[in-house]
Amino acid sequence: MSVVQSVLTATRVLERLSEPGLVGVSEIARDLGAPKSSVQRMLLTLKEAGWAADVRGETTRWTLTPKMFRLGQHHHAGNGLRSTALPVMEQLRDATRETVHLVVQRDDTVVVVECLDSPQAVRAHVDPGDVLPLHASTNGRALLSTQPEQVLRDLISKGLTASTPSTVTDPAAFEDVIRRARERGFASGEGQFRDGVHAVAAPIVVGGVGIASIGVSTPAQRMTPELEEAFGQYVMDAARTIAGRFGEDL
Amino acid sequence: MSVVQSVLTATRVLERLSEPGLVGVSEIARDLGAPKSSVQRMLLTLKEAGWAADVRGETTRWTLTPKMFRLGQHHHAGNGLRSTALPVMEQLRDATRETVHLVVQRDDTVVVVECLDSPQAVRAHVDPGDVLPLHASTNGRALLSTQPEQVLRDLISKGLTASTPSTVTDPAAFEDVIRRARERGFASGEGQFRDGVHAVAAPIVVGGVGIASIGVSTPAQRMTPELEEAFGQYVMDAARTIAGRFGEDL
DNA sequence: CCCAAACGTACCATCCTGTGGAACGAGAGG
DNA sequence: CCTCTCGTTCCACAGGATGGTACGTTTGGG
């Protein structure tokens, strides 16, 4: 089995970098028993790829960027989480008799991980793998509501494109939407991404980080303020349950 | 700036793998615009290095191992956590007037991330970077108490080596120690790693995973059962505070 | 005060390693 | 039966990765 040597080296460097504290080129080289120049090149490469960052002081030290953390969380969210979430999603679907979906964030979008269809004839649906805009999907807003103000501002400054005539694109109005979601603990919206669909969603928060979101979608005509509130409680419960169970499998 | 090409490819493959769902060689190759054979070799390499795993069914699919998640957590714990923990550690030191330290786990050991010395003349001390055995340090036991039984059994089956005459090495006795720590919410021990040092420690649990441990070490002669109980409450409070604040920085 | 050692960085000839096209066997589907 | 796609293997070539070496600084011991 032939294997790419430099990648093996790269992984060893990454492992070393994951250790607490900042390290210099020479120290890594010593630990790995590799030539300094090779390690130096490796670090520059990893920096280029966005995995390592150099902290330039009197002497250059290296550390990992949050990329590893993000990718790890992201993967875990999409895979480990799916099996954890499924039973809860089934409960939620049976309780609401509406379509239930689970999404994770990817950059400025959300990716649908799983979708359980409502048993009713008229129902909302998205396919696993579908990509929705972060700002124009209820699940995306639920995720946004867990994130620092700065992230929100960055997103807004990129411009909020409309997916339907109802999509909220005004910065101030959008901030209100997110603020409301923070207060209630769940997000809600009608026709933001697709006309005629009303959704309610809550973020799944693990370790203070919103790693995924679970939501319920209904045809807009079936939705009432009372139902919205009730579904809100349901999705929050479901999100908490999933978050609680999640992470027990290392 | 010269850069290792293959590593750039590797990172692109890893990023693709972090997406939810399993993927095949061809799909990755298509997404990346790279030759199938290159991707295939890359995947074998990543498997060899422990980052990717192949799920062999009728058609081979690939996914990430938990390695990325673990390294990411580990790094975050050692760095992001340090700044989060410092103020809490200072409080804890001032409240107890004893040495306070923060450790993270690495395999079957714990690594000291930070140590704030007691203001008293006679005091315990460890240096940041010091490596202690998981089973013979109170912080290690605190971490162990958060982990599945299987991990505990694995550790015991490797044999518990004694660091001092007092180190608990008997499997049954050790299981009792961990069980006690689970019940109380913190671990306590005297002279397990160094004679004359009595420590109390609580795990910092984020998302169900014990990512670090915070402890108080005193010279054994200063310790009393009442103090142990009081310090236990202190470290648990500190651990909870840190866990709560942690993770808010993406 | 100077020398030695350790740091991060840069260069470059050599050689080895990664490349990617091509081909294979196996299934799936029409 | 043919075709398309899957994962997998092979190999000659070429170009990139290698690591010894050297340089400019900074530290700290003598």
Side-chain angles (χ1 to χ4, degrees):
Chain A
M1 181 199 316
S2 108
V3 131
V4 186
Q5 297 302 329
S6 53
V7 172
L8 296 182
T9 315
T11 65
R12 295 179 63 211
V13 173
L14 284 175
E15 284 170 30
R16 181 62 189 79
L17 282 179
S18 79
E19 296 300 330
L22 305 178
V23 269
V25 178
S26 301
E27 184 173 354
I28 299 177
R30 234 180 294 111
D31 287 1
L32 268 54
K36 257 202 308 187
S37 50
S38 301
V39 172
Q40 166 93 349
R41 188 161 7 87
M42 196 76 260
L43 285 170
L44 287 175
T45 304
L46 290 173
K47 177 185 176 186
E48 172 91 8
W51 295 73
D54 49 351
V55 182
R56 298 191 165 271
E58 37 188 69
T59 173
T60 312
R61 325 252 76 183
W62 293 82
T63 185
L64 288 182
T65 62
K67 182 166 197 154
M68 179 102 70
F69 185 74
R70 280 214 323 277
L71 285 188
Q73 286 273 4
H74 186 66
H75 177 255
H76 225 60
N79 289 272
L81 186 64
R82 189 178 167 280
S83 49
T84 309
L86 260 181
V88 180
M89 293 176 68
E90 283 166 5
Q91 276 187 316
L92 184 59
R93 179 197 51 191
D94 295 345
T96 59
R97 292 183 46 80
E98 296 291 352
T99 298
V100 170
H101 27 77
L102 180 73
V103 309
V104 297
Q105 185 173 356
R106 181 166 75 199
D107 306 322
D108 293 343
T109 62
V110 293
V111 182
V112 177
V113 173
E114 189 56 84
C115 175
L116 300 183
D117 276 0
S118 158
Q120 308 191 55
V122 178
R123 62 199 190 192
H125 176 76
V126 284
D127 281 312
D130 276 359
V131 175
L132 282 59
L134 192 61
H135 68 279
S137 67
T138 310
N139 275 307
R141 290 153 166 207
L143 281 168
L144 268 176
S145 73
T146 68
Q147 291 174 17
E149 283 295 330
Q150 189 55 47
V151 175
L152 187 55
R153 278 194 292 272
D154 287 350
L155 184 72
I156 292 176
S157 72
K158 288 179 198 164
L160 305 172
T161 57
S163 301
T164 72
S166 316
T167 307
V168 174
T169 56
D170 177 63
F174 189 70
E175 282 184 21
D176 275 343
V177 167
I178 300 299
R179 194 169 311 124
R180 185 97 201 283
R182 284 214 185 97
E183 286 162 4
R184 302 172 92 184
F186 65 93
S188 175
E190 175 176 350
Q192 294 299 307
F193 178 63
R194 288 281 178 259
D195 278 321
V197 175
H198 194 134
V200 170
I204 297 173
V205 179
V206 172
V209 184
I211 59 169
S213 172
I214 185 169
V216 171
S217 284
T218 78
Q221 62 266 25
R222 272 211 288 273
M223 186 59 92
T224 66
E226 295 75 38
L227 263 185
E228 181 183 295
E229 194 56 44
F231 284 2
Q233 297 303 321
Y234 275 131
V235 291
M236 284 170 64
D237 277 348
R240 269 194 294 267
T241 305
I242 294 169
R245 292 189 195 165
F246 182 62
E248 287 162 15
D249 50 342
L250 199 139
Chain B
M1 182 199 314
S2 105
V3 132
V4 186
Q5 297 304 328
S6 53
V7 173
L8 294 181
T9 316
T11 65
R12 296 179 63 211
V13 172
L14 284 175
E15 283 170 31
R16 181 61 188 81
L17 282 179
S18 80
E19 295 300 331
L22 305 178
V23 268
V25 178
S26 301
E27 185 172 353
I28 299 177
R30 235 180 292 114
D31 287 0
L32 269 53
K36 256 200 312 185
S37 51
S38 301
V39 172
Q40 167 89 345
R41 189 164 2 89
M42 197 75 263
L43 286 170
L44 288 175
T45 303
L46 291 173
K47 177 185 175 185
E48 172 92 8
W51 295 74
D54 49 350
V55 182
R56 298 190 166 272
E58 39 188 67
T59 174
T60 312
R61 327 253 75 184
W62 293 83
T63 184
L64 288 183
T65 61
K67 181 166 196 155
M68 178 102 69
F69 185 75
R70 280 214 324 274
L71 285 188
Q73 285 274 4
H74 185 66
H75 177 256
H76 226 59
N79 290 271
L81 185 64
R82 188 178 167 281
S83 48
T84 309
L86 259 181
V88 180
M89 291 177 68
E90 284 167 6
Q91 277 187 315
L92 184 58
R93 180 197 48 190
D94 296 343
T96 59
R97 293 182 46 80
E98 297 290 352
T99 299
V100 170
H101 28 77
L102 179 73
V103 309
V104 298
Q105 184 173 356
R106 181 166 75 200
D107 306 321
D108 293 343
T109 63
V110 294
V111 182
V112 177
V113 173
E114 188 56 84
C115 175
L116 301 182
D117 275 359
S118 158
Q120 308 193 53
V122 178
R123 62 199 192 192
H125 177 75
V126 283
D127 282 313
D130 278 358
V131 176
L132 283 60
L134 192 61
H135 68 279
S137 68
T138 310
N139 275 307
R141 290 153 166 208
L143 281 167
L144 268 176
S145 75
T146 68
Q147 292 173 15
E149 283 296 330
Q150 190 54 48
V151 175
L152 187 56
R153 278 195 292 273
D154 287 350
L155 184 70
I156 292 176
S157 72
K158 288 179 199 163
L160 306 173
T161 57
S163 301
T164 73
S166 316
T167 307
V168 174
T169 56
D170 177 63
F174 189 71
E175 283 185 21
D176 275 343
V177 167
I178 301 300
R179 195 169 309 124
R180 186 97 199 284
R182 285 216 184 95
E183 286 163 3
R184 301 172 91 184
F186 64 93
S188 175
E190 175 176 349
Q192 295 299 305
F193 178 62
R194 289 279 179 260
D195 278 321
V197 176
H198 194 134
V200 171
I204 297 173
V205 180
V206 172
V209 184
I211 61 169
S213 172
I214 185 169
V216 171
S217 285
T218 79
Q221 62 267 27
R222 273 211 289 274
M223 186 60 93
T224 64
E226 294 74 37
L227 264 184
E228 181 184 295
E229 194 56 43
F231 284 2
Q233 297 303 321
Y234 275 131
V235 291
M236 284 169 64
D237 277 349
R240 269 194 295 267
T241 305
I242 296 169
R245 291 189 195 164
F246 183 63
E248 287 163 14
D249 49 341
L250 197 142

